[in-house]
Amino acid sequence: MKKYLNINRLFLFAVLLSVLSTYSLLAQKKDVFIPNSCRQIIYGKVIDSKGDPLIAQVQVWYYPLRPVVENYGDSKIQGRTDNLIKMTYTTDKGFFSVRVPADTVVLMITKGPEWSLVKKVFVIKGREFNGIECNVTLQRLYDLGKLGIYSGDAHHHSIFSDGFQTPSEAANAMVGVGLSWGFLTDHNSTGGLKEWLSYKTKYFLPISGCEITTEPSELTNENGFGHMNQSFITEMNGKDVANPNIWARERFDGHNDVQSMIDLTHKQNGFFAVNHPFQSWDWSGRFKSWGKVKYFDAIEVWNGEPPRSFTMNTWDTNHININTWAVNAWYSYLNEGNRISGIAGSDCHDVYGVNAYPKGDFYWTTTTGNPRTYAYCKELSETNIKKAMKDGNLFLTSNFGPLLLISVDKKNPGEVVRVPGSGKVHLKIEVLANQKLLHINDAVRVIYNGKI
């Protein structure tokens, strides 16, 4: 009986296969099914001129750029909410792949301003899914490390506060955009530093940090005292550092708390910087202790946004660029004879750019190393980076460059120049770029005693 049933089951199975085969033959006479939405993939490998694989940043943008609108889930608001389609990084073997929509897009592959920049435009048709191979060779145009100048990001976040990636992912992104060093500065947290510091290699130096974030004492908008970075530290300081709520760890009551934080940082032989001091959309994030405290080491004069006079962010009701104000404050301190450094930090919370500021123009988004700080050092070490930061042996630029090499009577940034009796000095400026620069009259401005 069992043998009879098994034979019948085999017979039924054979009949079913026959029917499916006949259906398959009939189906092939019709159009092949293609999904309505585009499933196109751009993929490839990124190598250097020697053929070695590179970790690099890959971006895909809509082309051309259009003004974007802010849309926080309101279906009534129409229009493009972001010009950035995708951002990713190649693997350690140099491979990448990105899915793209049916549209005209531009693929950009970069490893920072010391490398060549690849831009390619693709017209993606609807219902494409065959794959587009795009292999790229990036040329090392400049090697500032050979001159003792190393780039880094002085302000970066991870999942240990309100960032979206692990410390290791943040470090990998820094390597991908060509940085040699970087600070991990999570809000009121040093929880990620062990993982962060373990990413140290011959070519990348992770440095400990923490962004002291002074939320209002009574949860009102008037009482926050701003955000400040401690770096090169061994432990976080504050009134309630063990509080499980990281936002409640640094509730300051007055300017004396800010001064205490500066002093405690220096007691650890650390570095203290005032972050985005004129942040206008978050009053608790604005620095309010001008003239009330002393001995801080730096002002973050370039945070995240492009360095231009007017912002494109509609949430900024002052319609100013916070960096413009920060630079002017820095000039005021310098013109009073203070030796305070001006530094740049991306303040990146998402290395893939998805949760960054709306991307409206100039192919700009707040991502790792954009902007970045270049430090003059004899060799890459924590001691040398800290000395360069304190002495102002720095220049600042973006992920797109350009690179600025400047000297006055053969003295580099941060060094003291003694003006001879003639009152004349020799100023040497060299600008290096990986793409064509605009030709405008005020492209290079020399500012002396606060005046151009």
Side-chain angles (χ1 to χ4, degrees):
M1 184 67 179
K2 289 182 178 179
K3 184 180 290 187
Y4 176 78
L5 286 174
N6 287 340
I7 292 171
N8 278 278
R9 284 174 183 168
L10 287 171
F11 175 74
L12 288 172
F13 183 63
V15 171
L16 181 61
L17 284 177
S18 177
V19 171
L20 289 174
S21 298
T22 303
Y23 178 80
S24 177
L25 289 171
L26 291 172
Q28 289 178 6
K29 295 179 180 179
K30 297 183 179 181
D31 291 339
V32 176
F33 172 73
I34 302 175
N36 290 327
S37 58
C38 181
R39 292 290 186 270
Q40 187 59 280
I41 299 290
I42 301 177
Y43 67 95
K45 186 176 184 180
V46 180
I47 59 175
D48 64 14
S49 56
K50 296 180 181 178
D52 295 327
L54 287 176
I55 301 176
Q57 188 182 68
V58 180
Q59 303 179 18
V60 181
W61 295 76
Y62 286 108
Y63 182 84
L65 297 174
R66 298 178 192 167
V68 299
V69 298
E70 291 174 51
N71 188 342
Y72 300 102
D74 187 348
S75 59
K76 295 180 180 179
I77 299 177
Q78 302 296 321
R80 182 180 292 177
T81 59
D82 203 338
N83 279 307
L84 178 65
I85 297 170
K86 182 75 174 179
M87 181 184 295
T88 188
Y89 298 82
T90 60
T91 67
D92 57 355
K93 302 296 183 182
F95 294 107
F96 75 94
S97 65
V98 289
R99 177 171 288 181
V100 291
D103 210 316
T104 302
V105 303
V106 58
L107 174 75
M108 288 199 300
I109 300 179
T110 177
K111 197 173 171 65
E114 296 180 48
W115 294 77
S116 60
L117 174 69
V118 172
K119 290 183 181 179
K120 292 189 177 184
V121 176
F122 295 90
V123 179
I124 310 300
K125 299 178 181 179
R127 308 206 298 176
E128 279 190 359
F129 62 98
N130 56 306
I132 300 174
E133 186 174 6
C134 181
N135 297 313
V136 167
T137 299
L138 294 183
Q139 304 288 336
R140 185 67 182 261
L141 304 176
Y142 317 106
D143 189 350
L144 267 58
K146 291 183 177 180
L147 301 178
I149 311 173
Y150 300 94
S151 64
D153 193 335
H155 191 169
H156 206 288
H157 295 274
S158 79
I159 58 173
F160 284 89
S161 61
D162 56 350
F164 289 85
Q165 286 81 38
T166 65
S168 295
E169 288 176 290
N172 182 73
M174 289 193 183
V175 173
V177 295
L179 299 181
S180 298
W181 57 271
F183 297 171
L184 183 66
T185 54
D186 276 314
H187 296 280
N188 299 341
S189 174
T190 55
L193 289 184
K194 183 177 180 181
E195 178 184 344
W196 173 250
L197 296 175
S198 71
Y199 209 86
K200 182 179 179 179
T201 67
K202 179 181 178 181
Y203 304 103
F204 181 73
L205 178 64
I207 298 171
S208 61
C210 175
E211 184 170 25
I212 303 301
T213 306
T214 65
E215 295 306 294
S217 299
E218 302 300 331
L219 300 181
T220 62
N221 285 333
E222 289 78 16
N223 293 333
F225 285 84
H227 296 184
M228 313 133 202
N229 270 356
Q230 288 183 302
S231 51
F232 303 96
I233 58 169
T234 54
E235 62 181 19
M236 186 182 75
N237 303 117
K239 291 186 173 182
D240 191 11
V241 296
N243 195 312
N245 178 6
I246 64 173
W247 309 109
R249 293 175 179 174
E250 305 290 355
R251 290 181 172 175
F252 286 8
D253 298 314
H255 303 298
N256 59 310
D257 288 328
V258 179
Q259 186 63 60
S260 176
M261 189 60 66
I262 297 172
D263 296 340
L264 288 169
T265 302
H266 289 157
K267 190 175 181 180
Q268 295 187 66
N269 199 25
F271 183 83
F272 191 93
V274 177
N275 289 346
H276 44 68
F278 294 97
Q279 185 167 290
S280 57
W281 54 271
D282 175 12
W283 184 250
S284 65
R286 176 175 285 202
F287 188 66
K288 302 176 182 66
S289 298
W290 299 116
K292 306 292 184 180
V293 297
K294 54 186 178 180
Y295 304 135
F296 55 87
D297 300 301
I299 299 173
E300 187 182 56
V301 297
W302 192 352
N303 171 279
E305 297 182 44
R308 58 177 185 272
S309 298
F310 297 98
T311 180
M312 301 295 287
N313 295 333
T314 56
W315 67 72
D316 186 348
T317 55
N318 290 332
H319 298 293
I320 56 92
N321 187 291
I322 62 175
N323 297 316
T324 303
W325 284 20
V327 167
N328 289 337
W330 181 46
Y331 289 164
S332 297
Y333 269 79
L334 293 177
N335 290 335
E336 292 297 325
N338 298 288
R339 292 290 300 274
I340 294 178
S341 300
I343 63 175
S346 70
D347 200 357
C348 178
H349 288 66
D350 184 357
V351 303
Y352 301 109
V354 175
N355 297 285
Y357 300 123
K359 280 66 73 174
D361 53 358
F362 302 120
Y363 296 110
W364 183 283
T365 185
T366 305
T367 183
T368 303
N370 194 29
R372 61 183 60 199
T373 299
Y374 272 88
Y376 284 71
C377 306
K378 292 182 179 179
E379 61 182 18
L380 183 62
S381 73
E382 190 166 307
T383 300
N384 288 342
I385 294 293
K386 181 166 63 177
K387 185 179 187 306
M389 298 283 283
K390 281 183 173 289
D391 293 344
N393 308 136
L394 314 166
F395 76 84
L396 319 178
T397 191
S398 74
N399 272 6
F400 299 103
L403 303 169
L404 177 67
L405 303 182
I406 183 170
S407 64
V408 180
D409 283 351
K410 298 183 179 181
K411 297 284 188 178
N412 292 323
E415 296 184 282
V416 175
V417 177
R418 302 199 180 280
V419 181
S422 64
K424 294 181 179 180
V425 294
H426 182 260
L427 176 64
K428 180 182 179 182
I429 299 174
E430 188 175 7
V431 180
L432 311 175
N434 60 6
Q435 55 190 311
K436 188 176 180 179
L437 299 177
L438 296 175
H439 292 278
I440 52 178
N441 292 331
D442 60 348
V444 176
R445 287 172 289 176
V446 177
I447 299 170
Y448 172 71
N449 285 345
K451 296 181 180 180
I452 298 175

